[in-house]
Amino acid sequence: MENYSRRILNAAFFLAGIVRRNTIVIYERSPKGICFFIMCGIIAYAGTEDAAPILLEGLKRLEYRGYDSAGILTINGGSQFELKKDVGKVLEIHLKVNLLDLKGTIGIAHTRWATHGGVTRRNAHPHVSNNGKIAVIHNGIIENYKDLKAQLESEGFHFYSETDTEVVPNLIEYWMRIRGANFVQAALNSFQSLEGNFAIVVIDGDSKTMIGSKNGSPLVLGVGQDRNYFLASDIPAFLDRTKDVVYLYDGDTVVITQQETDRYEILDFRTGKKVERPVQSVSWDIEHAAKGEFDHFMLKEISEQVETIQRAASQDRQTIEEITARIRKARGVFLIGCGSSYHACLSASYLFSKLASFHINTVLASEFSAYEDFLKEDTLVIAVTQSGETIDVLDAIKTAKQKGCQIISIVNVMGSSATQFADASIFLNAGPEVSVLSTKTYTAQLAVLTLLAFSLAGKYDEGVRELKYLWNVVYNLTSQNMRTRLKQLADRLSTSEHIFVLGRGSLYATALEAALKVKEVSYIHAEAFAGGELKHGPISLIGKGTPVMVFVSKDTESKILSNAMEVKSRGGYLIGIGPSAIDAFDFFIKVPENEELNPISQIIPIQILAYQLAVILGHDPDRPRNLAKSVTVR
Ligand code: M6R
């Protein structure tokens, strides 16, 4: 499954055109945007049993894909819809509104990770058409929804949400009510006019028909016993009911009619023609299936970086430019964060300085109170936080707010506390990160901060281009070959008591992050130093066989390699990470030179190494001891 997705992604980029840069093949992005999987979970059921318990169970299993709001809609014994949805996690909503008393044997359900529109009940799915007869759940982004909305408004349709999704049921209603099409034809016509990625399930109350369609976002069909059918973003949603699945391809549109649920039909919405797909049996258990081919979420999330970095870099230009203007205007800018988020801030401070000649103060959020006296009304504080709930960050934000400072948050979780306090926010759009370790959200933070630095330097387009070119590098860095090679290194390092890490400039921040990754998941002591600091004390720790990682880039090469030689001459075991090997390296991890983007690419092999170390040492990489995903204690 994993290799399959990678092949599909590769093919998509390949078809989009090839550009060469240095010796690496780079795949040009299509003008319509890359097919990314925006997270959200969808599950639908049509069959002979009560739908609500099946849908509720499915939602719980899909919550790793999104958890800011959820809803279930069923068609009751007649043709009426019964709908319950709200903001919050699935179980919280269920405790509040009892999702199980929805009647009917056909229904759709959704757990949301907000992309278009805030986290509100109105924006939660399912969405219903104006005449109340068509209901939809959707995962993905409909890029041309504003045009479609305007056209529908001119036909008298009105909208209650800020979502892109709400155009879909209304478009179908338009084709049925105004243009006289039947439900299936109306759905096919509507899907044809959508641009962007989607997995959609739509139901019609009158005909009790369910249609699921996909284009760039995941959707699988589950074929149960006794005329029971499931459509879901991911197999675990229905794995307790059936192991027989049909993998759907882009364009596939499954039509299930409740009057005849002993059969289903698959059409290609682009041609209207029937397609045949085999029913295949899966042998996974539920836990395994949620992670796909991966044994742990950490590895899954590391591998997702091929998409998530691009997604983080695909920001709304106007938002980035407005925030750039605020940065320019401010008298004093602070970048604050904790843990990995702080390392992203530190890394960015080098880039702001080098690229845009702009001084930025980088402070650990937990130490921010020491700077209180420097906070004025024209000070700008940029809080970088995956969760948006880290108490040290929230305390710092509150302190800055009291002083009248402007706050920008760079956050992954929409609707989180940090976004509520901030004057403006940039979202990482990395999807939920389940492993306690920051991996994909760290590189997403770097991507956003890099974009800001380029924008501040008046080079926004160049920044976007550079980040786009990184796709191919990240693809290779997360490949099976790389993992196999890093496993050899992990085997060698797993018996070490200490590992040291060296870097200079922005790669000093990478060294700090590498040491954090290794220590928090393998429990091996790992410590980072700026290359130049080695001779000021730490060199006394180096003896025969002491493992030392060295991050090398073109602009730091001569100095960091001389630090490497200092290690070598004391018998250290040298691990080089960078564009070219030297004889002194005992182990070399090749990462092509990416200039300003080196901090994004060079950390990836060490994330994999840390993962491999944890596995070899028998630790759970997703739940390291003593750590929590969101640190809400001081
Ligand atoms: O949610 P935040 O980005 O604010 O979290 C900050 C740190 O707690 C977090 O980065 C932590 O250091 C992770 N364990 C790193 O892997």
Side-chain angles (χ1 to χ4, degrees):
M1 184 83 158
E2 179 215 349
N3 287 335
Y4 171 75
S5 328
R6 289 178 76 88
R7 279 207 308 275
I8 296 280
L9 205 59
N10 199 7
F13 276 87
F14 184 79
L15 289 170
I18 300 171
V19 171
R20 283 190 181 270
R21 182 187 189 239
N22 301 330
T23 54
I24 307 160
V25 179
I26 308 288
Y27 302 102
E28 184 82 284
R29 186 179 171 180
S30 93
K32 291 267 159 80
I34 302 165
C35 295
F36 293 131
F37 301 154
I38 303 298
M39 301 293 267
C40 274
I42 65 185
I43 164 82
Y45 167 75
T48 52
E49 295 181 38
D50 283 341
I54 294 169
L55 296 173
L56 178 59
E57 191 54 39
L59 282 184
K60 285 193 256 169
R61 300 224 178 101
L62 288 175
E63 223 171 6
Y64 76 92
R65 301 181 60 84
Y67 43 73
D68 61 40
S69 43
I72 298 182
L73 178 146
T74 55
I75 306 176
N76 65 19
S79 59
Q80 298 300 307
F81 287 156
E82 294 194 9
L83 168 65
K84 290 191 181 183
K85 60 181 181 178
D86 213 330
V87 167
K89 298 210 166 95
V90 173
L91 272 180
E92 289 164 10
I93 298 170
H94 176 48
L95 286 175
K96 213 158 107 184
V97 300
N98 187 14
L99 292 166
L100 286 179
D101 66 5
L102 296 164
K103 306 274 181 312
T105 59
I106 177 168
I108 55 179
H110 186 273
T111 177
R112 182 168 186 245
W113 182 261
T115 54
H116 279 75
V119 182
T120 63
R121 186 185 176 279
R122 275 172 182 273
N123 289 338
H125 298 215
H127 288 287
V128 179
S129 65
N130 279 198
N131 67 3
K133 289 175 184 281
I134 309 292
V136 165
I137 47 174
H138 162 225
N139 170 31
I141 289 180
I142 297 163
E143 290 169 7
N144 60 337
Y145 82 100
K146 284 186 183 155
D147 294 343
L148 295 170
K149 193 169 173 178
Q151 285 165 26
L152 288 166
E153 277 168 342
S154 72
E155 295 286 343
F157 283 81
H158 56 270
F159 292 84
Y160 56 80
S161 78
E162 303 158 291
T163 64
D164 50 345
T165 305
E166 204 190 342
V167 297
V168 181
N170 288 309
L171 211 49
I172 296 171
E173 180 190 319
Y174 163 81
W175 278 105
M176 292 175 77
R177 186 167 56 77
I178 300 179
R179 303 289 294 270
N182 64 28
F183 175 52
V184 175
Q185 195 54 53
L188 295 177
N189 293 350
S190 303
F191 299 155
Q192 275 169 17
S193 58
L194 305 180
E195 288 174 15
N197 312 316
F198 56 81
I200 287 173
V201 183
V202 49
I203 51 175
D204 170 32
D206 286 342
S207 64
K208 291 200 164 71
T209 301
M210 172 183 285
I211 299 178
S213 187
K214 87 177 272 319
N215 186 47
S217 296
L219 189 70
V220 279
L221 171 68
V223 181
Q225 300 264 304
D226 302 326
R227 297 153 49 220
N228 286 299
Y229 295 99
F230 309 83
L231 282 161
S233 309
D234 207 350
I235 295 167
F238 55 72
L239 201 55
D240 58 331
R241 300 273 165 174
T242 181
K243 293 193 172 202
D244 290 337
V245 304
V246 177
Y247 295 105
L248 299 172
Y249 290 68
D250 283 354
D252 286 3
T253 303
V254 186
V255 181
I256 304 163
T257 307
Q258 189 154 57
Q259 277 85 3
E260 325 168 35
T261 42
D262 55 337
R263 67 173 195 89
Y264 62 88
E265 188 170 50
I266 305 178
L267 306 169
D268 185 328
F269 75 78
R270 298 165 300 193
T271 60
K273 294 209 173 109
K274 209 171 154 182
V275 284
E276 298 292 338
R277 302 279 179 228
V279 178
Q280 300 179 42
S281 208
V282 293
S283 54
W284 310 335
D285 58 29
I286 282 164
E287 173 80 346
H288 185 197
K291 296 167 192 156
E293 285 282 299
F294 300 97
D295 291 335
H296 300 96
F297 281 106
M298 183 179 172
L299 187 58
K300 181 172 189 263
E301 287 157 5
I302 290 171
S303 301
E304 278 172 15
Q305 289 175 111
V306 71
E307 303 160 33
T308 51
I309 293 167
Q310 298 298 323
R311 226 153 56 198
S314 304
Q315 294 289 333
D316 173 48
R317 184 178 187 140
Q318 203 183 332
T319 307
I320 297 295
E321 287 180 345
E322 276 167 18
I323 289 172
T324 305
R326 286 184 197 232
I327 296 175
R328 275 204 196 101
K329 214 170 127 206
R331 293 191 57 210
V333 181
F334 285 88
L335 259 178
I336 61 165
C338 297
S340 295
S341 298
Y342 169 73
H343 298 153
C345 296
L346 186 64
S347 186
S349 70
Y350 286 94
L351 202 55
F352 274 65
S353 162
K354 197 176 145 208
L355 202 64
S357 304
F358 193 91
H359 171 72
I360 210 151
N361 303 284
T362 305
V363 181
L364 280 165
S366 54
E367 294 291 320
F368 190 64
S369 59
Y371 296 81
E372 244 176 78
D373 291 345
F374 303 112
L375 303 177
K376 307 277 179 270
E377 284 187 356
D378 46 9
T379 307
L380 181 73
V381 175
I382 305 176
V384 180
T385 165
Q386 184 283 132
S387 61
E389 302 295 349
T390 302
I391 198 78
D392 291 329
V393 177
L394 297 182
D395 284 349
I397 292 177
K398 284 178 198 161
T399 303
K401 269 242 140 193
Q402 277 160 11
K403 297 275 183 172
C405 305
Q406 291 281 299
I407 313 289
I408 305 290
S409 71
I410 299 179
V411 182
N412 194 37
V413 181
M414 222 183 229
S416 57
S417 304
T419 64
Q420 290 166 16
F421 291 122
D423 298 288
S425 296
I426 306 176
F427 294 99
L428 302 176
N429 296 324
E433 192 171 60
V434 179
S435 167
V436 164
L437 278 90
S438 301
T439 53
K440 63 174 179 173
T441 59
Y442 174 70
T443 51
Q445 288 168 341
L446 288 176
V448 167
L449 289 163
T450 302
L451 200 58
L452 273 178
F454 271 97
S455 174
L456 201 60
K459 297 177 177 173
Y460 180 87
D461 290 326
E462 192 185 324
V464 171
R465 208 165 45 243
E466 293 291 315
L467 284 160
K468 184 172 72 183
Y469 286 155
L470 205 59
W471 178 85
N472 195 49
V473 174
V474 178
Y475 182 82
N476 290 327
L477 289 173
T478 52
S479 67
Q480 182 59 51
N481 280 352
M482 181 58 98
R483 278 190 248 159
T484 307
R485 186 158 160 65
L486 289 168
K487 166 83 171 47
Q488 292 163 10
L489 178 61
D491 282 332
R492 159 73 175 76
L493 297 184
S494 61
T495 51
S496 307
E497 249 186 278
H498 311 281
I499 298 174
F500 299 107
V501 195
L502 299 180
R504 279 178 176 261
S506 59
L507 291 178
Y508 167 50
T510 310
L512 288 168
E513 175 62 9
L516 178 63
K517 285 290 88 80
V518 169
K519 77 180 114 184
E520 67 182 336
V521 76
S522 73
Y523 318 147
I524 296 173
H525 169 235
E527 202 172 343
F529 304 107
E533 282 298 292
L534 193 65
K535 57 188 176 295
H536 295 290
I539 200 160
S540 64
L541 296 167
I542 311 295
K544 193 166 179 319
T546 309
V548 180
M549 294 185 212
V550 185
F551 287 103
V552 188
S553 62
K554 205 172 61 190
D555 61 340
T556 59
E557 191 172 12
S558 64
K559 286 186 174 167
I560 198 76
L561 288 182
S562 88
N563 301 138
M565 294 319 290
E566 288 159 15
V567 169
K568 190 72 191 174
S569 58
R570 277 145 191 98
Y573 179 81
L574 263 188
I575 302 146
I577 304 122
S580 35
I582 58 166
D583 285 346
F585 289 154
D586 297 289
F587 195 96
F588 175 60
I589 305 167
K590 186 171 173 62
V591 180
E593 174 65 37
N594 290 298
E595 298 174 1
E596 290 84 3
L597 276 49
N598 281 328
I600 303 180
S601 49
Q602 294 216 9
I603 193 62
I604 293 172
I606 309 309
Q607 295 173 340
I608 299 171
L609 176 71
Y611 169 79
Q612 305 274 25
L613 281 169
V615 173
I616 291 167
L617 293 168
H619 307 319
D620 181 349
D622 292 336
R623 293 179 204 89
R625 68 183 180 203
N626 307 336
L627 293 178
K629 184 70 189 157
S630 179
V631 183
T632 53
V633 287
R634 290 186 182 88

